[in-house]
Amino acid sequence: MKERIKTVKSLEELQDLYTATFGKNGTMTAKLKNMAALSNEERAVVNAENSELRQLFRDKQTELENAALNAKLATEFVDVTLDVEPENRGTLHPLTQSLKELGTILESLGFEMWTGPEIEDDWHNFTALNTPEYHPARDMQDTFFLENKNVMRTQTSSIQIRAMEKQGVPIKMFAVGSTYRKEMDATHSPMFHQIEGLYIDKNITLSDLIGTLRELLSKFFERDIELRIRPSYFPFTEPSVEFDMKWDNGKWLEIAGAGMVHPNVLKNCNIDPNEYQGFAFGFGWDRMAMLKYGLNDIRAFYDGDIRWLKNSGF
Ligand code: DAH
């Protein structure tokens, strides 16, 4: 019997053997029942055998249970060193991210955000901005023309007109939105984005403009930004300037168009230019994001390639 217990291979087999030994008709049970007929010495032998067998069963049971557990652990082993699929967390698009940053800075400077329609009429996109029909400056912008003299907005400057018409002065606003022009290469997309700023009050000067842009750019790029102004031309500002910003490599980068709002533009919005004046500026929001995040192809913003978005460093 002892030998048999030792060779048992499964818990079921052990259970059967146990029943055959200690069950109602078991061999050991029979011996125990017969104890009364035995001498003291014989009883001692049976008792010893009884204890020894029970111990052997217990040991075998423990051994088989451990073996079963180990087998289970071996097959259910989790290899924590294996590569796992990275968790699919969403991130903000670089344009959304940079707009949030720029908007937060402008709001901290007291500018209020406005938006406007992307399909714009001739008045808001051109005429009110001192660019009447046949004005040569219309050629500066490769316009997508729609029916009824409507256009796809070529510039967010249209929103300054809407804001001044609606709110009047004083006004301190910025506008953001998509703009459209017939051009496409690595740095131009037919749809791109602009941010426009406008501040009109009684004592606004060109130095307010310079201070505002320096603050905005320095906060956005997180370092002191050196600016340079060049004279330029826009129909809606007089004087008109262009801002260059000194970049890491020492090069000057053209960053924004700006100027003091032209008296004709104020008049077009029923504002008296002898009483009120102010500045406006506009720049490419995509370009700002490209510079900040070191990207060199504007088209990547709109391809919707999730691999690019994941690796673009946001
Ligand atoms: N609208 C101009 C453009 O698209 C940018 C611009 C220049 C906006 C001067 C302004 C400004 O408000 O004052 O090129």
Side-chain angles (χ1 to χ4, degrees):
M1 176 55 72
K2 287 184 213 161
E3 289 314 307
R4 272 197 69 193
I5 297 173
K6 282 181 190 156
T7 59
V8 164
K9 291 269 166 340
S10 72
L11 282 164
E12 295 76 37
E13 204 186 322
L14 188 68
Q15 181 61 49
D16 290 346
L17 198 55
Y18 185 86
T19 311
T21 314
F22 292 109
K24 223 165 123 206
N25 303 314
T27 48
M28 201 62 218
T29 311
K31 282 189 190 173
L32 290 168
K33 272 188 191 157
N34 196 34
M35 287 283 259
L38 300 179
S39 68
N40 279 347
E41 294 78 45
E42 285 166 330
R43 278 185 200 170
V45 172
V46 174
N47 273 335
E49 190 189 0
N50 182 35
S51 319
E52 194 188 0
L53 282 178
R54 284 183 192 275
Q55 187 62 43
L56 281 173
F57 272 111
R58 271 198 295 275
D59 290 350
K60 192 70 194 177
Q61 183 175 359
T62 310
E63 181 194 317
L64 289 170
E65 280 172 356
N66 282 343
L69 184 64
N70 285 336
K72 202 171 171 196
L73 285 175
T75 52
E76 290 176 8
F77 171 69
V78 177
D79 185 352
V80 292
T81 66
L82 279 179
D83 277 349
V84 286
E85 276 289 304
E87 200 183 329
N88 246 339
R89 285 243 208 105
T91 51
L92 291 177
H93 190 279
L95 284 177
T96 313
Q97 178 64 35
S98 52
L99 174 62
K100 274 191 153 189
E101 292 165 10
L102 289 162
T104 306
I105 301 165
L106 282 165
E107 277 166 1
S108 78
L109 296 173
F111 290 82
E112 196 191 9
M113 185 164 126
W114 283 67
T115 53
E118 290 174 31
I119 294 177
E120 193 49 284
D121 54 43
D122 182 87
W123 171 255
H124 292 96
N125 197 81
F126 289 124
T127 304
L129 285 159
N130 200 31
T131 322
E133 215 169 338
Y134 306 118
H135 192 293
R138 287 200 179 198
D139 290 345
M140 286 163 76
Q141 306 185 351
D142 297 318
T143 311
F144 287 110
F145 291 98
L146 305 171
E147 286 172 349
N148 303 324
K149 285 174 82 183
N150 285 339
V151 296
M152 293 307 290
R153 172 171 79 194
T154 61
Q155 49 190 351
T156 46
S157 307
S158 56
I159 307 175
Q160 5 168 321
I161 301 298
R162 289 184 175 274
M164 284 190 281
E165 283 175 341
K166 194 158 181 198
Q167 183 182 308
V169 279
I171 188 166
K172 197 173 183 184
M173 55 79 71
F174 72 102
V176 295
S178 334
T179 42
Y180 300 84
R181 292 186 199 178
K182 278 188 270 178
E183 48 193 7
M184 177 136 145
D185 57 38
T187 54
H188 295 92
S189 149
M191 192 275 291
F192 59 107
H193 298 84
Q194 286 190 336
I195 296 194
E196 187 89 10
L198 175 78
Y199 187 11
I200 309 284
D201 206 333
K202 290 193 169 164
N203 295 302
I204 308 300
T205 66
L206 200 62
S207 30
D208 293 308
L209 167 65
I210 298 168
T212 300
L213 276 185
R214 183 179 297 134
E215 185 71 11
L216 173 62
L217 295 170
S218 297
K219 285 231 167 95
F220 181 69
F221 290 106
E222 296 167 335
R223 67 192 121 111
D224 279 339
I225 292 289
E226 201 182 326
L227 290 177
R228 173 173 90 171
I229 314 182
R230 279 181 294 110
S232 184
Y233 175 76
F234 300 101
F236 32 87
T237 42
E238 182 57 39
S240 299
V241 296
E242 239 161 296
F243 279 86
D244 295 339
M245 159 176 106
K246 198 164 195 177
W247 198 237
D248 301 337
N249 52 10
K251 286 208 178 124
W252 289 100
L253 300 179
E254 192 183 310
I255 193 81
M260 299 306 287
V261 176
H262 197 291
N264 288 349
V265 174
L266 296 173
K267 278 189 228 158
N268 286 337
C269 301
N270 294 320
I271 295 162
D272 180 358
N274 294 317
E275 208 183 337
Y276 285 94
Q277 61 192 320
F279 65 75
F281 62 85
F283 55 80
W285 149 26
D286 312 70
R287 186 164 148 71
M288 294 280 264
M290 287 167 75
L291 284 170
K292 178 157 181 177
Y293 300 116
L295 312 169
N296 46 26
D297 193 336
I298 192 173
R299 292 167 294 198
F301 281 141
Y302 312 118
D303 282 349
D305 184 336
I306 201 119
R307 291 164 304 180
W308 179 83
L309 288 170
K310 277 196 176 140
N311 291 316
S312 54
F314 307 97

